[in-house]
Amino acid sequence: MGTVVEAANKGASGSILQKRNPTIVFVLGGPGSGKGTQCANIVQHYGYTHLSAGDLLRAEIKSGSENGTMIQNMIKEGKIVPSEVTIKLLQRAMEESGKDKFLIDGFPRNEENRAAFEKVTGMEPSFVLFFDCPEEEMERRLLSRNQGREDDNIETIRKRFKVFLESSLPVISYYDAKGKVRKIDAARSVEEVFATVKAIFEPKNEKAD
């Protein structure tokens, strides 16, 4: 019986969001591509709600909930947090916000995340913002940001690049085939990048009606 009730509840929570028909934008880009800065600009200018999958997981751990403890233990053991857990946190944050325009930052990280998001929520992103930045530039930015043990940093940074390329590029390819990717040259200055971002958001989503 419990599982049926749970399934019904799951369906209900999906439909609350679906009825609101929210605009969802996935924001993808390697570490140091400037996603965070541009998300802040989009929030300020276009009234989007910025949701970072990583921040939500960290907040859940901090809350000390049963779910949070489970997430913390998985991370400690070097395991990947199941997609459904992250998606439920995103879903809850979207529902509780009462808003209808969302930037989802750093998710989906891989194809499995993407498929699970569409299955669990019954929704697809309106489009995907892909901040395309050469590795050398991202490395330069990250090293200037992280003072300290540069050798460690460079090693860690390169591992993160590798993971991003292997995991996230298939997601970008999938949505690109559906005509949903808006690729941005992120190697330029913050102002130049935001000028491109504006051109994407103003005609597409700021409808007169």
Side-chain angles (χ1 to χ4, degrees):
M1 272 298 285
T3 52
V4 177
V5 173
E6 276 169 25
N9 286 341
K10 268 187 193 173
S13 74
S15 65
I16 293 165
L17 269 180
Q18 283 170 320
K19 276 178 196 154
R20 293 217 305 256
N21 192 21
T23 299
I24 295 171
V25 177
F26 287 153
V27 183
L28 297 174
S33 60
K35 295 194 314 280
T37 304
Q38 296 303 332
C39 281
N41 282 337
I42 296 163
V43 167
Q44 192 185 340
H45 287 80
Y46 302 107
Y48 274 71
T49 299
H50 178 208
L51 298 175
S52 155
D55 287 352
L56 288 172
L57 287 167
R58 283 186 285 275
E60 191 67 17
I61 291 168
K62 232 179 183 173
S63 76
S65 70
E66 198 179 319
N67 205 19
T69 307
M70 182 266 291
I71 294 165
Q72 188 171 30
N73 290 338
M74 293 196 81
I75 291 169
K76 266 188 194 157
E77 289 165 23
K79 291 178 183 166
I80 290 167
V81 177
S83 297
E84 279 73 13
V85 173
T86 308
I87 293 160
K88 287 291 173 200
L89 292 176
L90 286 165
Q91 216 172 2
R92 188 174 75 191
M94 286 193 272
E95 281 164 13
E96 287 173 358
S97 76
K99 302 284 176 42
D100 62 358
K101 295 195 297 188
F102 301 98
L103 293 175
I104 297 184
D105 177 5
F107 188 92
R109 284 185 181 277
N110 53 42
E111 265 292 280
E112 194 264 330
N113 279 177
R114 177 201 63 73
F117 182 89
E118 292 182 8
K119 188 176 168 213
V120 173
T121 66
M123 296 184 293
E124 280 195 26
S126 302
F127 59 93
V128 176
L129 269 190
F130 171 38
F131 289 93
D132 189 26
C133 195
E135 277 192 30
E136 308 77 60
E137 176 59 20
M138 291 194 284
E139 195 173 288
R140 190 189 65 73
R141 290 176 185 178
L142 290 170
L143 288 174
S144 65
R145 207 160 69 182
N146 297 345
Q147 259 72 51
R149 297 178 304 175
E150 291 210 347
D151 292 349
D152 283 358
N153 283 338
I154 225 159
E155 197 125 317
T156 312
I157 285 164
R158 287 185 180 154
K159 270 185 197 150
R160 284 166 70 197
F161 289 155
K162 191 168 180 284
V163 168
F164 173 74
L165 284 170
E166 287 172 359
S167 308
S168 299
L169 286 183
V171 177
I172 292 158
S173 300
Y174 173 85
Y175 285 120
D176 199 25
K178 299 184 114 186
K180 288 192 170 196
V181 172
R182 309 288 177 266
K183 188 170 166 181
I184 292 165
D185 173 5
R188 299 163 301 158
S189 71
V190 171
E191 294 73 24
E192 287 172 312
V193 172
F194 189 54
T196 308
V197 168
K198 274 163 102 166
I200 291 166
F201 277 81
E202 286 176 7
K204 300 273 176 200
N205 291 323
E206 299 304 301
K207 293 172 188 159
D209 56 15

